Amino acid sequence: MIHIAIRHTDRFTVVGNHLAQHPTLSTTAVGLAVRIQSLPQGTEIGIKALAARLPEGEKLIAAALRELEAHGYLQRTRTRLPNGRIVTRTVFCNQPAALLRPRAAATPPQPPPTARPITTPAQASEPTVKPEASPEPEPEPQPQPEPTPDPVATPDRPAPRATPAQAAAPPFVRLVPPPTAPKPPRPPLPRPRELTPELERISTALLSDLRHHAPQFTLSEEHVRELVPGVAAWLERDAHPDTIRHTLTTNAPEPVNYPYQFVKHRLTVLLPPPLPGAHDLTPPPARRNPVTPFQTCDGCERAFRAPAPGHCRDCRNEVAYTQAAA
């Protein structure tokens, strides 16, 4: 990459690399921070106000503002005005790490200069005896402040620490994965249970004939050989060749830059399920409640329902009453 740097003389904003090259902020949050930093003081930067001036929607702007607030670039507080109305006051800091740096230790005060003694003429005539100079004690070294570990360090400056207001705020939850997040692996191309010569022949002819129906689906010979198992899996599930051709070429984007990848994706994602068998389509037998058969009473020959022959209820009650009276 080659930079063409032309010096700005007016209408420019200074942006630090700690923001432009932030390792965790999204590109939307960085761009929104630069836009907010370039606005004059007093400009309304609410979600709806920004959405009215920017092409991004309210949800994307709200997520970017939460990112900036979590990293200390933005602070939002609710304030009550004298008329009772509650408004949100937004404060933007272009370098939050500078607010968290420890201040330089104050230099110790210098001792006042000692006054010289005044000598009289009599004292001047007397010989002065200088006492032996005692070695001055070495000044004790001042304790150095213990370095505080930084949570995340960047090549140019340490990462900012969370303020008490930010620590009390709920943690930011990213709803959309970042662009650098690993993508899930793509599903493999379907394959038939057994690739017979007949299936291979029909699949090869169908793929080679796609360019007659849609010129953008011109496949190379190597790509045709790689896609044959996918078409054979469709044919094995009783899919008609015209149905496969229609599924692969209908509603395709214009232009199709990678026909091999497009055909492989549709063969994998739109694979139909196998057709059900005859026993799968047979309705289950209707469940019928068992019917108690009719019986003839051995005493009065009256018909009644019971699982086994015997006496009816009246005859049983009469026999029980007779036995109790006896």
Side-chain angles (χ1 to χ4, degrees):
M1 181 181 62
I2 301 176
H3 287 283
I4 300 178
I6 302 175
R7 185 179 181 82
H8 291 280
T9 57
D10 59 348
R11 294 181 57 81
F12 64 91
T13 302
V14 179
V15 179
N17 284 339
H18 59 86
L19 175 62
Q21 300 178 5
H22 202 283
T24 57
L25 279 177
S26 63
T27 306
T28 304
V30 173
L32 188 60
V34 174
R35 175 64 69 94
I36 294 175
Q37 190 173 344
S38 66
L39 296 176
Q41 190 166 349
T43 306
E44 184 180 0
I45 57 171
I47 297 176
K48 294 187 179 297
L50 291 174
R53 297 196 299 264
L54 301 177
E56 287 79 9
E58 294 185 5
K59 293 184 178 179
L60 190 59
I61 291 176
L65 291 178
R66 287 194 297 269
E67 287 188 61
L68 296 175
E69 191 173 7
H71 288 81
Y73 288 94
L74 199 70
Q75 290 185 3
R76 291 182 287 186
T77 57
R78 299 178 69 84
T79 308
R80 184 183 296 274
L81 299 180
N83 59 359
R85 181 185 175 189
I86 298 177
V87 297
T88 301
R89 189 182 302 276
T90 305
V91 178
F92 184 86
C93 180
N94 65 336
Q95 194 174 355
L99 300 178
L100 304 176
R101 292 176 185 169
R103 298 184 178 180
T107 57
Q110 298 290 338
T114 58
R116 291 184 178 180
I118 300 175
T119 58
T120 59
Q123 293 176 347
S125 61
E126 296 178 0
T128 58
V129 180
K130 295 183 179 180
E132 294 182 1
S134 60
E136 297 181 357
E138 296 182 359
E140 296 182 0
Q142 302 210 359
Q144 304 244 355
E146 296 183 0
T148 56
D150 297 332
V152 179
T154 55
D156 52 353
R157 64 181 72 258
R161 300 179 188 172
T163 60
Q166 297 171 2
F172 172 72
V173 179
R174 185 185 295 273
L175 301 180
V176 180
T180 57
K183 297 182 180 180
R186 296 182 179 179
L189 186 71
R191 305 186 68 86
R193 291 191 299 269
E194 181 183 359
L195 184 59
T196 60
E198 185 68 14
L199 288 177
E200 185 176 2
R201 182 185 62 81
I202 299 176
S203 302
T204 304
L206 190 148
L207 291 171
S208 303
D209 190 59
L210 287 179
R211 62 179 182 266
H212 291 160
H213 302 271
Q216 62 268 30
F217 286 94
T218 302
L219 300 172
S220 64
E221 186 175 359
E222 180 181 359
H223 289 167
V224 169
R225 286 197 301 268
E226 294 180 3
L227 295 175
V228 160
V231 179
W234 282 60
L235 295 173
E236 191 180 51
R237 301 190 176 193
D238 293 339
H240 196 274
D242 293 340
T243 303
I244 302 176
R245 186 183 301 108
H246 178 79
T247 304
L248 297 179
T249 58
T250 303
N251 296 330
E254 291 290 343
V256 181
N257 296 324
Y258 304 98
Y260 165 72
Q261 296 291 347
F262 184 81
V263 172
K264 180 180 179 181
H265 174 74
R266 288 202 168 182
L267 287 175
T268 305
V269 176
L270 303 180
L271 179 66
L275 291 178
H279 62 281
D280 297 329
L281 299 177
T282 304
R287 185 176 181 181
R288 302 179 59 183
N289 296 329
V291 178
T292 305
F294 280 102
Q295 306 291 343
T296 302
C297 179
D298 296 340
C300 61
E301 297 185 354
R302 185 172 57 180
F304 67 99
R305 290 187 180 274
H311 294 81
C312 64
R313 182 175 55 185
D314 295 340
C315 294
R316 290 197 302 269
N317 292 340
E318 184 178 356
V319 172
Y321 179 76
T322 304
Q323 291 178 355

